[in-house]
Amino acid sequence: MNPEADPVLRVVEVVAPGPYATVQDLGRPGHGHLGVPCSGAADAPSLRLANRLVGNPEDAAGIELTFGGARLRFPAGAWVAVTGAPCPLTLRVPEGAGGSGGTGPSAVSRGSGSRDTGSPAAGSRRDAARAPARPGAAGPYAPVWVPSGGELRVGAPTAGLRTYVAVRGGLDVPAVLGSRSTDALSGLGPAPLAPGLRLPLGPAAGLPPIVVDAAPPPPIPRGVLRVLPGPRDDWFAPDALEALCAAPYQVSRRSNRVGVRLAGTALRRVRDGELPSEGMVAGAVQVPPSGQPIVFLADHPPTGGYPVIAVVASADLAVAAQLRPGDPVWFRLR
Amino acid sequence: MTSRPGSGDRAVVRRAGESALLVETGSLEVSHRLDALLRERRPAGVTEIVPGPATVLVVAPGADPAALRARLSLLLGTARDAAPAPSGARGTVTVPVVYDGPDLADVAELSGLPVREVVERHTGVELVVGWLGFAPGFAYLTGLDPALHVPRLSTPRTSVPAGAVAIAGPYSAVYPAASPGGWRLLGRSSLTVWDTAADPPALLTPGTRVRFRAVRG
């Protein structure tokens, strides 16, 4: 049987997930009033790009790696693209599978289509399943053909924190409230990836062909987060916004998909008492009693009771999502 | 109450980043009315409406903030001036409870009431879902008898079972799923308040009236 058509083989096999990996799409917005976080890719533009590179809709589910380190096997072969924090990639290709020439986008000649793989290069990678493996070439920010039985190995990122792996067809795990995302706060969605897990792939038939050879990797930004004051800047000393922007903060090890916890100048409140619980947005710079701010990411709670001094610009949310423990962060008023 | 037109609007509709506005309603009742108005006629581009005890957060990525602010100020005026919603306008849910919770005796001691009266006071009033938070489907029920306002546990439990009926401060709740929790457990209910396959997945939504009823275990 053609391995691409076999639903048992149309999976991603997690050989190793790295330090922390989850399935993510663009989340489940619209349920905040029911206590449900939005969730979804912490660095959404990177997931969208990875999906575009393999001809998926931008909201298809992919894998979000934290500190890279994953090994993913594709029994039926698949087109993949890796974006976000740039990692070295290697491909272990069974002998007899599509040669290394078929693994890079440079080998993708356009025009004559094959069945559902988006490229004629895919035609050369049959019956390779259990043969001895040899290394193949692969790189981030480009579509990569992983031949049948091939394994994609993602190293540690050279910069940034979260790397995205999109697979043509998307990951077809069950959706919960309209999303396949793992929500680290509430536990909705699939469990984090574990060795041996097999994630089913959605159908690739009907997807547009892969037409992009490579996307220019975006420059690794410094940790500058532009913020708009409020909604609760009036809970703080008049110089608190200035203090927030005056000196860099350092990203704490206790950061996660819920938020980036920071250490630095404590922000002084002028109001005592508790703020009644209120709706929170992604990018909110929430200040607990310690005065050490937290920048909310995708899995932030939909409501909270600590005042928000400022909110990070939407365009800089992806920057916040790529901050590593120990990184410096500068806030800038806009 | 008047709608405070003009200069007051800037103070009551706050910016929450590029994509959201936080409307200060001043009360849970006005929050509920504004929430209902917004859901009836959702302004273009609005993706989230999150009511709180004194605010409603409105998220609308890409919407024109000035136009949305003007619309929200107008709706806030309507919500403030509207007559109170008739009781039960958003439905009434009866929650059967087996009152055998591990903290029942402590609550009796803290409140200075016999256990029997703790149960009577918990079942004796109609509560209203204020807002949801903490966990999917976790509804903060307002209107608890003041005699039952007790502090939360000093050390939260690492796991509270789904269906646990609890109180803390001025609120009561039914735990929608097993989770850590610091509220005091009065009993348990067989009622499912959270089901991701249902629409809506939460049984208790803002404005819903709730009655607890004692049943045998």
Side-chain angles (χ1 to χ4, degrees):
Chain A
M1 187 178 191
N2 170 14
E4 257 163 56
D6 184 345
V8 178
L9 294 179
R10 279 194 53 76
V11 296
V12 183
E13 245 180 50
V14 179
V15 180
Y20 181 71
T22 54
V23 175
Q24 295 295 336
D25 54 20
L26 297 183
R28 42 184 77 85
H31 299 92
H33 64 297
L34 303 180
V36 178
C38 182
S39 193
D43 173 358
S46 287
L47 176 67
R48 288 174 189 269
L49 174 61
N51 275 323
R52 289 200 303 274
L53 286 170
V54 293
N56 282 346
E58 285 189 324
D59 62 354
I63 297 173
E64 179 181 281
L65 304 176
T66 313
F67 274 119
R71 292 167 56 191
L72 305 168
R73 202 175 153 269
F74 297 82
W79 280 99
V80 303
V82 180
T83 61
C87 295
L89 301 183
T90 51
L91 210 50
R92 300 294 296 178
V93 184
E95 290 291 351
S100 58
T103 62
S106 57
V108 178
S109 59
R110 305 236 174 80
S112 61
S114 71
R115 292 172 313 280
D116 62 346
T117 55
S119 161
S124 61
R125 44 79 197 102
R126 292 260 158 73
D127 58 62
R130 299 286 180 259
R134 59 184 164 71
Y141 287 90
V144 174
W145 170 252
V146 183
S148 167
E151 185 183 297
L152 180 72
R153 294 184 175 183
V154 184
T158 48
L161 179 63
R162 295 185 167 94
T163 300
Y164 294 85
V165 183
V167 185
R168 187 165 165 86
L171 303 177
D172 193 18
V173 299
V176 178
L177 301 178
S179 168
R180 296 177 167 86
S181 291
T182 297
D183 178 345
L185 184 72
S186 77
L188 293 180
L193 304 196
L197 200 66
R198 292 162 69 91
L199 303 165
L201 293 178
L207 290 177
I210 293 170
V211 294
V212 178
D213 282 347
I220 305 300
R222 289 199 319 148
V224 177
L225 303 178
R226 291 164 292 174
V227 293
L228 274 177
R232 297 292 177 190
D233 46 325
D234 54 349
W235 275 61
F236 296 88
D239 62 352
L241 274 169
E242 214 174 286
L244 177 73
C245 299
Y249 283 82
Q250 194 182 40
V251 176
S252 150
R253 299 184 62 83
R254 293 183 305 136
S255 302
N256 54 26
R257 283 181 44 83
V258 174
V260 183
R261 289 174 178 270
L262 299 171
T265 313
L267 302 172
R268 205 161 46 84
R269 268 199 213 176
V270 288
R271 290 201 199 178
D272 293 327
E274 268 185 65
L275 178 72
S277 177
E278 63 188 25
M280 292 282 144
V281 295
V285 182
Q286 200 196 45
V287 185
S290 67
Q292 302 293 327
I294 302 165
V295 178
F296 275 157
L297 296 181
D299 290 353
H300 72 85
T303 58
Y306 297 133
V308 171
I309 189 169
V311 178
V312 173
S314 311
D316 293 347
L317 272 178
V319 177
Q322 292 295 356
L323 293 168
R324 297 176 172 204
D327 277 354
V329 184
W330 292 265
F331 289 99
R332 294 275 179 273
L333 274 184
R334 54 177 297 191
Chain B
M1 207 186 285
T2 64
S3 60
R4 279 206 278 159
S7 59
D9 291 355
R10 201 145 281 280
V12 295
V13 182
R14 293 168 179 263
R15 198 84 193 262
E18 283 159 70
S19 311
L21 293 169
L22 183 71
V23 186
E24 297 225 44
T25 60
S27 76
L28 183 59
E29 209 174 339
V30 176
S31 288
H32 284 170
R33 279 189 230 137
L34 179 60
D35 176 64
L37 286 170
L38 284 165
R39 283 179 203 285
E40 255 164 50
R41 302 176 76 177
R42 184 179 284 248
V46 170
T47 56
E48 294 271 9
I49 305 161
V50 185
T55 54
V56 176
L57 176 75
V58 179
V59 183
D64 171 15
L68 185 63
R69 179 188 291 274
R71 177 105 186 95
L72 292 174
S73 297
L74 206 70
L75 286 174
L76 177 60
T78 308
R80 278 175 168 168
D81 294 341
S87 171
R90 284 194 162 187
T92 303
V93 172
T94 301
V95 180
V97 184
V98 179
Y99 283 93
D100 61 357
D103 300 326
L104 193 57
D106 286 347
V107 170
E109 197 180 318
L110 283 164
S111 60
L113 300 169
V115 165
R116 181 181 46 79
E117 201 178 332
V118 169
V119 174
E120 278 171 12
R121 287 182 185 250
H122 194 245
T123 53
V125 292
E126 189 178 69
L127 295 103
V128 180
V129 176
W131 67 97
L132 284 82
F134 172 64
F138 190 99
Y140 287 78
L141 303 173
T142 63
L144 183 68
D145 187 316
L148 298 182
H149 294 191
V150 293
R152 56 181 72 199
L153 298 170
S154 51
T155 308
R157 289 183 170 86
T158 52
S159 184
V160 172
V165 173
I167 56 174
Y171 307 116
S172 187
V174 183
Y175 277 78
S179 73
W183 291 27
R184 294 185 193 261
L185 310 183
L186 299 183
R188 57 198 156 90
S189 179
S190 56
L191 192 68
T192 300
V193 297
W194 175 250
D195 176 5
T196 56
D199 184 23
L203 178 68
L204 308 177
T205 57
T208 305
R209 314 261 153 180
V210 174
R211 268 275 183 187
F212 289 105
R213 187 166 59 85
V215 297
R216 287 176 189 282

